[in-house]
Amino acid sequence: SNSALVMAALENVLRAVHKFIESGPDGERAPALSQQVAGFAALDSYPEDLRASLMNLSLSLQNVSVLGSPPPSERQRMVQVIGNDYEAVVHLLRVKPAFAALGQAVPTLRPVNYWRNVFHVCNALLSVFLYEFVLTYEQCVFCSFLCLMWYVVMDLLRRFFPDVQKALFDRLFAAITRPRERYIINAATWYCLSLFLVCLLAKKTVAEVSVLVLGIGDPVATLIGRNVPSIKIHGQKSLSGTLGFMTVSAGVVFLFLTAVRPDMTGFASAMMAFVAGFVGAFVELVSNDRFDDNLTIPLAVAMVLSMLF
């Protein structure tokens, strides 16, 4: 039908915009994409709020064409602005029954963000350092629970108060948030939940290893997957990214166990490191937008290691 053809055409255009944003916006491709998106914004059969979001996306793309090839700092700001408008469209598609299938078919954004990667690694290293050298079991559980409650409250507040949303996403954490996190539970909330659960339920070594695997492996998978060409093995996940996750996280875990667990044999440390890296890489590979890997990776690693070691 004509409606199905229009839906398919919109999906193709949004996928092109997605690729445009993730590869780094430039002024050459922006005008054509802006015109294509504006064409769908002009359809009277679409809901008014969806048309308005499509028009905002079209205008953001048009601004890119005016700026041409901006400096890196301005390029990062443009990615944030266009990404926010793109995710607003995807969110509306997913919450409207008539467009839900299209909304699920269109990918969300995971643009390159080196500050986010650094933040990810530092969080994991700090968490492990505090648990290993500073905090007792009870103190670690209590502190991780407090962090979890803080992020839960922040997530609730930003749902009901737009000014809180703007303060968090446009100012305080603008450098490390992803555009889609405006419409879902923040990744930091899932991270704090996983931190609390592994501290509460797992042995100390297992908890620390599971946090290291997430904190080191996930950014490595992103960086290697985007910069080392290889085949795609599951959706947009590449073989190089998965192997990078497994080998680097396993190597870091092995060094950690060798340094802080001298009672463990080299073979035992190597086996735990290999299993942790393999499980973490597998879970990262099969994770999707419905289940945040900040929760699934530590829990899966902790569960498997608790059964085997």
Side-chain angles (χ1 to χ4, degrees):
S1 66
N2 288 336
S3 176
L5 291 175
V6 172
M7 288 280 199
L10 177 57
E11 179 182 345
N12 289 335
V13 170
L14 290 177
R15 286 184 176 275
V17 174
H18 176 273
K19 184 177 180 180
F20 172 80
I21 299 171
E22 295 232 322
S23 61
D26 62 76
E28 294 183 2
R29 294 177 293 163
L33 288 174
S34 176
Q35 291 177 4
Q36 291 170 359
V37 174
F40 290 100
L43 294 176
D44 293 333
S45 58
Y46 280 14
E48 185 175 346
D49 54 351
L50 178 58
R51 293 171 58 196
S53 289
L54 286 166
M55 182 53 67
N56 288 338
L57 178 58
S58 174
L59 292 174
S60 295
L61 290 166
Q62 188 176 1
N63 289 337
V64 176
S65 64
V66 173
L67 292 172
S69 298
S73 59
E74 181 64 18
R75 181 182 292 267
Q76 182 63 35
R77 189 194 68 81
M78 287 163 47
V79 168
Q80 192 74 21
V81 171
I82 304 171
N84 290 340
D85 290 335
Y86 172 86
E87 290 295 348
V89 172
V90 174
H91 173 70
L92 284 174
L93 292 173
R94 292 184 174 186
V95 300
K96 294 182 180 298
F99 297 87
L102 172 60
Q104 293 299 328
V106 176
T108 56
L109 287 169
R110 291 178 177 267
V112 176
N113 189 328
Y114 296 114
W115 284 115
R116 185 185 179 94
N117 294 333
V118 170
F119 184 75
H120 212 286
V121 173
C122 290
N123 255 334
L125 294 178
L126 177 62
S127 299
V128 171
F129 174 83
L130 290 175
Y131 195 13
E132 181 63 28
F133 299 108
V134 179
L135 302 176
T136 64
Y137 166 77
E138 291 79 10
Q139 290 170 338
C140 187
V141 171
F142 179 70
C143 289
S144 60
F145 179 75
L146 286 182
C147 289
L148 173 61
M149 289 300 98
W150 168 261
Y151 279 104
V152 168
V153 170
M154 288 298 100
D155 259 330
L156 290 174
L157 286 176
R158 69 187 181 89
R159 299 285 179 182
F160 298 102
F161 300 100
D163 288 342
V164 175
Q165 175 91 307
K166 291 179 181 179
L168 292 174
F169 281 83
D170 295 338
R171 291 190 289 274
L172 190 59
F173 297 112
I176 59 173
T177 55
R178 284 176 175 156
R180 74 187 184 100
E181 288 177 327
R182 289 174 175 268
Y183 308 101
I184 61 174
I185 297 174
N186 189 273
T189 306
W190 292 118
Y191 173 76
C192 288
L193 176 59
S194 68
L195 200 65
F196 170 68
L197 291 175
V198 297
C199 286
L200 178 67
L201 302 174
K203 297 177 182 178
K204 182 175 183 177
T205 300
V206 169
E208 292 171 339
V209 167
S210 65
V211 172
L212 274 179
V213 168
L214 170 68
I216 303 299
D218 203 22
V220 167
T222 300
L223 294 174
I224 294 180
R226 291 179 183 275
N227 294 287
V228 179
S230 70
I231 61 172
K232 304 293 184 183
I233 54 177
H234 186 267
Q236 295 299 311
K237 307 293 181 66
S238 67
L239 178 62
S240 62
T242 300
L243 292 177
F245 185 119
M246 184 173 67
T247 55
V248 175
S249 61
V252 170
V253 169
F254 177 75
L255 293 175
F256 169 75
L257 293 175
T258 302
V260 303
R261 298 291 180 270
D263 54 312
M264 291 183 66
T265 65
F267 178 76
S269 296
M271 286 301 299
M272 178 177 278
F274 172 77
V275 172
F278 177 82
V279 172
F282 176 77
V283 174
E284 195 277 336
L285 176 66
V286 300
S287 292
N288 52 41
D289 292 336
R290 294 187 178 184
F291 301 98
D292 195 288
D293 57 15
N294 287 285
L295 176 67
T296 56
I297 290 174
L299 292 186
V301 172
M303 182 176 65
V304 173
L305 292 184
S306 296
M307 291 189 297
L308 297 180
F309 297 92

